[in-house]
Amino acid sequence: MPLAKPMMKSLALPLFCTLLTTPAMAEGLATLEGLGEALFFDENLSQNRTQSCSTCHDPEYGFADPRGMASPGDDGVSIGDRNAPTASYAHFAPMFEKLDEGVYRGGQFHDGRAATLADQAGGPPLNPIEMGMPDAASVVARLEENPAYVVAFKDLFGDEIFADQDEAYAAMTKAIAAFEGTDLFSPFDSKYDRYLRGEAELTREEMLGETLFFSQQFTNCNLCHELKPRAGMEGETFTNYEYHNIGVPENGALRDMNGVGRGHPDLGLAQNASVEDTAGLEGKIKVPTLRNVAVTGPYMHNGVFQDLRTVVLFYNTYNTKSEARMINPETGERFGAPEVAENLSMEELTTGPALEDREIDALVAFMKTLTDARYEHLLDE
């Protein structure tokens, strides 16, 4: 699959492009968030010095990866098996927790294996198919190459921070998480947010989509993609952070690219090492935010769908009796069988009637209104 156009980082060009030695540059690292920003964009924290957090969470593309179904690694060869989720609004996810028997919520990554955002920040540098550093000590050594980092870490975490490599690594992840908690990642300034504040008007189609989205009488969307107790509340992140198996088909094209091979199901939550009893959890994936969803495709945890309308059509297969509605418009064939056929969330998936074209288009139109203002130009591309 061809890669998209080269990435741009004009939103937050980091000051560390040279060693941060001037007073003005050092001042940018005086806060935890400022240090985290520099670290987020620092390619020196990967084995070959070619990849940073922003490589797969590009600030010009909704903090997602526009390059394809899964992200290439720092080694220039490896390709992951999951689509990089957006880092937009990620800091609102609660800490990974068990709610009830077989019911989990929160955490980071598609399987919740990182309990917190700081835990997540520590994963990619040490992942051999991502940033590829051999161990935490090697990452800390890279940090110590930069004298401005040394000063900033000591100012923020104490003079002895580099005496313990694990502590220094944890400090790095805390700084990155602090940056990801800033308004840059979650401005709540989409057309929908402006509409709630009386600053914008929705079109008739968008209003229909809003009604359909929040009504269990007409769709099943809000069962998983509504956090607040009622519709129309400000600060909605459009996910309840729980885990479901919705029957996403295997992405054979991606498996052919990355060498994983077809027929090896992604077990999702059941692969989370912090979960003791994984029975019944196979194939469950964390419900993603719909913030910026219209500009952060491909879709699903494995990037199997390219178009947002296709995603709605896929959900509709659980309710429609029309054979024509079973066809994936991207392939011209029936939607593939679930990668994990067990543990499907049928109660949620079958809620509501089948949708007609007008309703499908309205839902897509509404989800486009969830695009942050600085990404609205991407809706026309």
Side-chain angles (χ1 to χ4, degrees):
M1 179 178 178
L3 301 184
K5 53 190 171 184
M7 296 178 295
M8 300 173 289
K9 298 184 176 68
S10 60
L11 278 177
L13 286 175
L15 297 176
F16 63 86
C17 294
T18 59
L19 287 182
L20 307 178
T21 55
T22 69
M25 289 179 175
E27 185 178 350
L29 305 183
T31 65
L32 194 61
E33 293 83 358
L35 175 59
E37 178 178 3
L39 295 167
F40 187 87
F41 289 98
D42 194 345
E43 295 179 346
N44 289 319
L45 301 182
S46 63
Q47 179 65 26
N48 297 309
R49 302 178 190 265
T50 67
Q51 193 173 80
S52 70
C53 301
S54 67
T55 304
C56 301
H57 300 285
D58 190 336
E60 291 287 349
Y61 292 93
F63 289 101
D65 193 339
R67 298 175 297 169
M69 298 175 287
S71 301
D74 172 74
D75 61 8
V77 177
S78 301
I79 299 176
D81 199 44
R82 290 176 176 171
N83 182 255
T86 176
S88 295
Y89 300 87
H91 70 281
F92 288 102
M95 189 171 181
F96 184 74
E97 60 180 339
K98 182 178 181 179
L99 297 180
D100 200 351
E101 192 64 35
V103 181
Y104 291 82
R105 177 178 66 184
Q108 302 292 331
F109 294 115
H110 292 295
D111 55 16
R113 66 184 184 275
T116 68
L117 195 57
D119 292 336
Q120 185 280 326
L126 305 183
N127 190 321
I129 64 170
E130 294 187 54
M131 296 170 73
M133 294 295 281
D135 49 44
S138 301
V139 178
V140 173
R142 292 286 181 89
L143 295 174
E144 291 182 288
E145 290 177 0
N146 189 323
Y149 279 168
V150 173
V151 172
F153 270 77
K154 289 183 177 181
D155 286 346
L156 292 167
F157 299 103
D159 289 340
E160 302 302 317
I161 186 61
F162 288 106
D164 186 319
Q165 293 169 337
D166 290 336
E167 287 294 324
Y169 192 83
M172 177 194 74
T173 68
K174 291 175 184 177
I176 294 173
F179 173 54
E180 291 179 313
T182 64
D183 290 346
L184 179 66
F185 287 78
S186 51
F188 288 103
D189 64 356
S190 69
K191 182 178 182 179
Y192 176 70
D193 296 300
R194 301 194 301 271
Y195 157 72
L196 292 181
R197 295 194 291 264
E199 301 167 1
E201 294 185 3
L202 300 186
T203 66
R204 290 177 64 88
E205 184 177 46
E206 292 164 349
M207 290 183 67
L208 173 60
E210 179 192 25
T211 299
L212 293 170
F213 185 94
F214 286 112
S215 173
Q216 291 183 26
Q217 179 182 357
F218 301 115
T219 73
N220 54 16
C221 302
N222 72 328
L223 293 179
C224 299
H225 289 285
E226 182 182 349
L227 181 66
K228 301 291 184 177
R230 63 181 185 276
M233 296 185 68
E234 293 190 11
E236 177 62 65
T237 55
F238 292 94
T239 170
N240 62 8
Y241 302 104
E242 294 182 10
Y243 290 79
H244 290 278
N245 178 8
I246 60 172
V248 174
E250 179 182 40
N251 188 344
L254 177 59
R255 290 290 174 78
D256 292 343
M257 290 174 60
N258 63 23
V260 171
R262 302 192 183 205
H264 295 85
D266 186 333
L267 298 181
L269 183 58
Q271 296 176 185
N272 185 325
S274 67
V275 176
E276 294 181 1
D277 183 5
T278 61
L281 303 182
E282 296 85 355
K284 292 190 175 183
I285 300 292
K286 189 178 72 172
V287 176
T289 179
L290 296 184
R291 290 279 176 175
N292 294 316
V293 67
V295 297
T296 52
Y299 300 104
M300 306 312 199
H301 66 277
N302 56 4
V304 69
F305 301 138
Q306 298 295 314
D307 189 76
L308 186 56
R309 193 175 195 275
T310 304
V311 175
V312 181
L313 288 170
F314 166 75
Y315 277 103
N316 196 47
T317 61
Y318 288 96
N319 294 313
T320 185
K321 295 182 180 179
S322 168
E323 186 63 27
R325 289 292 191 191
M326 300 295 181
I327 303 300
N328 179 347
E330 297 177 10
T331 65
E333 301 176 353
R334 286 179 66 94
F335 282 97
E339 184 174 20
V340 179
E342 300 77 29
N343 312 315
L344 294 176
S345 296
M346 294 303 296
E347 180 179 352
E348 290 81 3
L349 289 168
T350 58
T351 295
L355 302 174
E356 300 299 330
D357 282 333
R358 174 171 175 261
E359 296 162 329
I360 292 168
D361 292 338
L363 284 170
V364 172
F366 172 66
M367 285 188 281
K368 287 182 177 180
T369 71
L370 307 183
T371 306
D372 290 341
R374 67 176 179 269
Y375 302 129
E376 288 178 339
H377 69 281
L378 297 176
L379 294 172
D380 299 324
E381 294 186 1

